[in-house]
Amino acid sequence: MNRAEAVSYLLRDQPKDPKRDEGVYFAPANIALCKYWGKRNSELNLPYNSSLSISLQQYGAKTMIRPHADRFNRIRLNGQVVDNETSFAQKITAYLALFNMCSVTNYSVDTEINIPVGAGLASSACGFAALAGALGRLYDWELPKSTLSILGRLGSGSASRSFWHGFVEWQAGESADGMDSFGIPLTHLWPELRIGLLIFNTLAKPVSSREAMALTVATSPFYSLWPAKQNADLVRIKEAIATHNFNQLAETAEHNALTMHALMLTATPPILYSLPETLQGMKEVWHCRQRGVPVYFTQDAGPNLKLLFLAKDLPAVLASFPSLQVIAPFEGRDVA
Ligand code: PMV
């Protein structure tokens, strides 16, 4: 099965004509505490392993989609028209082409993303989730969120986790067509948990996560160790969430991220997303811990760090990282 066949199958009983003038959908960005790194099927973005994330509350993508009477899609990002030749526009155009069983041939897509794009801050996750959700609203598809999650996954794997707030597990699934590979929200709330964005560089990354993942799987001599480590980390993280054991959660998440980056360093050619500032930030986090402040980090396919800590430690964390952008992922929520 290819991506277009998966979309046709999922939408087999759904309307193919727009039911309103526009569809609008907001999807939060998500940061993996237990990473997705390696695809068993790169066409369908099916992972070897399950992963688990926390959504970033009000940070994410809001997309409005409308039919566009022209020969091309018109794509706007944060109010600016994006050149159709850019890889950003081409990814969106290729994704929209998967829905060619629908009556609209070209769309106007307006996306507002309030985090840096392409810098390893989960912009593609929230971007594809918002796009799939907006299409669903335009056509009035009556789909369970698990199906929307599969549609998002076909754009970018981590998008499967961006349809909910709070903690979300993306279950890897086993079937070849990926119909059992989607996000599932965890019901646990953890109001004291804080995420801090430590942004060093907002430029788009030099190597895409797709390329980096494929290279790691194909060339790192240590990749074979990852699946067992990942499964064990997932168990520890879920247990830590259930028991509100912050140190277990954050220590496991930090080690999981460091392992993922160590695998990338041992790929051929090596992949290094960190900048000198990234390493300086890591050292400062470790230094804070030596001083008794429980703060940890995670890092994705980019140089920026995301800090994990509890609300009570905010003043101490800000003293070391004054420019930190702080997110309270559970603020004002009683359900995910
Ligand atoms: O969904 P992608 O292709 O952008 O890959 C995401 C990869 C990581 O962010 C590094 C890990 C993850 O699980 O989100």
Side-chain angles (χ1 to χ4, degrees), residues 30-39 45 51-53 120-125 128 153 155-161 170 205 208-211 213 230 256 260-261 264 273 299-302 306:
N30 76 77
I31 299 296
L33 301 172
C34 201
K35 310 291 186 192
Y36 146 58
W37 202 252
K39 303 176 201 229
N45 290 337
S51 55
L52 191 146
S53 62
L121 283 159
S123 60
S124 70
F128 279 109
R153 189 199 78 220
S156 168
S158 52
S160 63
R161 301 184 306 242
W170 169 16
K205 51 190 166 230
S208 70
S209 44
R210 169 171 286 271
E211 267 175 86
M213 238 183 251
Q230 171 72 359
N256 187 269
M260 179 181 83
H261 285 276
M264 287 188 232
Y273 283 115
Q299 180 189 3
D300 292 292
K306 293 94 187 196

Side-chain angles (χ1 to χ4, degrees), residues 192-212:
E192 300 80 18
L193 196 65
R194 294 290 177 272
I195 310 285
L197 302 183
L198 200 51
I199 298 178
F200 306 116
N201 189 324
T202 57
L203 299 177
K205 51 190 166 230
V207 187
S208 70
S209 44
R210 169 171 286 271
E211 267 175 86

